[in-house]
């Protein structure tokens, strides 16, 4: 049997990238391009390594689990719910691998290596089905619309999945405009090292204590919720917020100390209208 390492590298790299992409979409944390590329390169390298003569032990279950954990860690960084993303990625990878093998048998490919026809037919179909089915389930379970949200601050940007929740009535007391509520960890690309260290203690120490340790640009936002008569959220004014490509302007962003979604399908809540191009909610 002839094995072409370049094909093995490309097939594994593209498959891992697709599984990581779907994992990010399902957990409400779209991937950064650089992290996704680095993970795909690492996954392709691992796949090629397993195909080398005498390296069969590298493809055994334990090394595979460790490799999967490394890919998830590289792709998403140090975030909560690591195990959830790890198992989701592993399941997606197995599903796509199974689809590729099934496609090979259906098309009676006997050359020992999947060709591009089989890859795009089986792998592409599996990727589309998983994306549509799981994303559709997330939308249905959330009883609202999910959209891609990009938050900008001091020259940096972070992309998250937001739920357009008409039942969310949180507004900025200073301007009366809707507030975007985001789990602080989902906005990790926005934070400097000092800010990240302080925000990591937000759930334990509370918004007021963290505000004292942060620099200018943060303030407290009073809110009420079921079971909370008078609470405080740490917030800041974003330089810009975009919802599915539509600019909303300088929106106030409230930082939730815990994930806003139990299932992890989204990382932000927005109670305002999706807006029109150029519309600005903030004063």
């Amino acid at each position: 049997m002839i094995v072409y390492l370049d094909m093995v590298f490309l097939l594994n790299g593209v498959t891992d990238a697709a599984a990581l992409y779907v994992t990010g979409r399902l957990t409400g944390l779209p991937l950064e391009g650089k992290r996704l590329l680095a993970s795909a390169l690492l996954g392709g390298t691992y796949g090629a390594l397993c195909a080398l003569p005498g390296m069969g032990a590298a493809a055994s279950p334990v090394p595979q689990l460790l490799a999967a954990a490394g890919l998830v860690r590289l792709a998403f960084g140090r975030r909560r719910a690591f195990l959830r993303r790890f198992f989701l990625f592993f399941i997606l990878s197995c599903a796509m691998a199974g689809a590729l093998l099934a496609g090979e048998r259906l098309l009676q490919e006997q050359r020992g290596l999947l060709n591009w026809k089989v890859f795009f037919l089986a792998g592409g179909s599996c990727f589309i089905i998983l994306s549509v089915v799981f994303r559709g389930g997330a939308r249905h379970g959330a009883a609202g619309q999910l959209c891609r949200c990009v938050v900008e601050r001091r020259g940096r940007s972070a992309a998250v999945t937001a739920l357009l929740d008409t039942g969310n009535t949180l507004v900025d007391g200073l301007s009366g405009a809707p507030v975007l509520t985001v789990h602080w960890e989902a906005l990790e690309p926005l934070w400097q090292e000092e800010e990240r260290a302080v925000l990591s203690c937000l759930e334990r120490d509370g918004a007021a204590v963290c505000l004292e340790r942060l620099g200018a640009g943060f303030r407290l936002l009073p809110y009420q919720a079921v079971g909370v008569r008078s609470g405080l959220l740490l917030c800041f004014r974003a330089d810009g917020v975009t919802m599915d490509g539509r600019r909303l302007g300088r929106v106030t962003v409230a930082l939730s100390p815990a994930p806003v979604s139990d299932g992890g399908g989204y990382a932000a809540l927005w109670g305002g209208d999706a807006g029109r191009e150029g519309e600005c909610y903030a004063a």
Side-chain angles (χ1 to χ4, degrees):
M1 179 178 66
I2 299 176
V3 176
Y4 299 94
L5 288 181
D6 56 346
M7 290 285 289
V8 175
F9 174 83
L10 289 174
L11 286 172
N12 280 275
V14 174
T15 301
D16 288 335
L20 287 168
Y21 174 81
V22 175
T23 299
R25 295 288 289 176
L26 293 180
T27 55
L29 294 172
L31 283 171
E32 299 177 26
K34 293 181 180 179
R35 285 186 174 273
L36 182 60
L37 177 60
S39 300
L41 293 175
L42 180 60
T45 302
Y46 173 73
L49 179 65
C50 293
L52 291 175
M55 296 298 295
S60 58
V62 173
Q64 284 191 1
L65 290 173
L66 293 176
L71 291 178
V72 173
R73 173 66 176 81
L74 177 61
F76 297 101
R78 292 186 299 175
R79 297 177 183 270
R80 292 185 179 183
F82 170 81
L83 288 179
R84 177 190 301 166
R85 296 186 183 95
F86 166 72
F87 284 119
L88 179 57
F89 167 70
F90 193 76
I91 291 172
L92 291 173
S93 299
C94 292
M96 296 189 72
L100 290 173
L101 293 176
E104 180 188 26
R105 293 188 177 183
L106 288 174
L107 296 179
Q108 296 182 344
E109 296 288 337
Q110 301 297 333
R111 285 170 286 182
L113 181 66
L114 297 175
N115 64 18
W116 289 110
K117 178 174 61 176
V118 179
F119 174 76
F120 283 116
L121 178 61
S125 298
C126 183
F127 171 73
I128 294 173
I129 291 173
L130 288 171
S131 298
V132 173
V133 171
F134 282 103
R135 288 289 290 174
R139 288 174 184 266
H140 177 74
Q145 180 183 353
L146 298 178
C147 67
R148 177 182 172 84
C149 175
V150 179
V151 180
E152 302 169 6
R153 176 178 182 260
R154 297 180 178 177
R156 303 182 181 185
S157 64
V160 297
T161 299
L163 170 67
L164 303 183
D165 183 11
T166 56
N168 179 17
T169 59
L170 182 63
V171 297
D172 190 339
L174 298 180
S175 63
V179 172
L180 178 68
T181 305
V182 189
H183 181 209
W184 75 268
E185 198 171 3
L187 299 178
E188 184 176 6
L190 302 183
W191 314 129
Q192 299 176 355
E193 287 298 328
E194 298 80 4
E195 294 172 337
R196 186 178 294 107
V198 174
L199 292 173
S200 65
C201 303
L202 181 59
E203 185 172 12
R204 184 192 67 190
D205 297 340
V209 173
C210 289
L211 179 64
E212 297 177 357
R213 303 172 184 170
L214 292 168
F218 293 89
R219 61 184 174 88
L220 296 178
L221 177 69
Y223 77 98
Q224 291 183 342
V226 178
V228 181
R229 297 185 59 183
S230 180
L232 295 172
L233 288 172
L234 197 64
C235 70
F236 68 95
R237 179 68 64 86
D239 295 334
V241 170
T242 303
M243 291 279 186
D244 277 346
R246 298 177 180 178
R247 297 284 299 181
L248 302 184
R250 301 194 63 203
V251 173
T252 298
V253 179
L255 301 178
S256 171
V260 298
S261 167
D262 292 336
Y266 52 90
L269 295 173
W270 174 247
D273 181 66
R276 298 180 298 275
E277 195 72 33
E279 182 173 355
C280 178
Y281 285 99

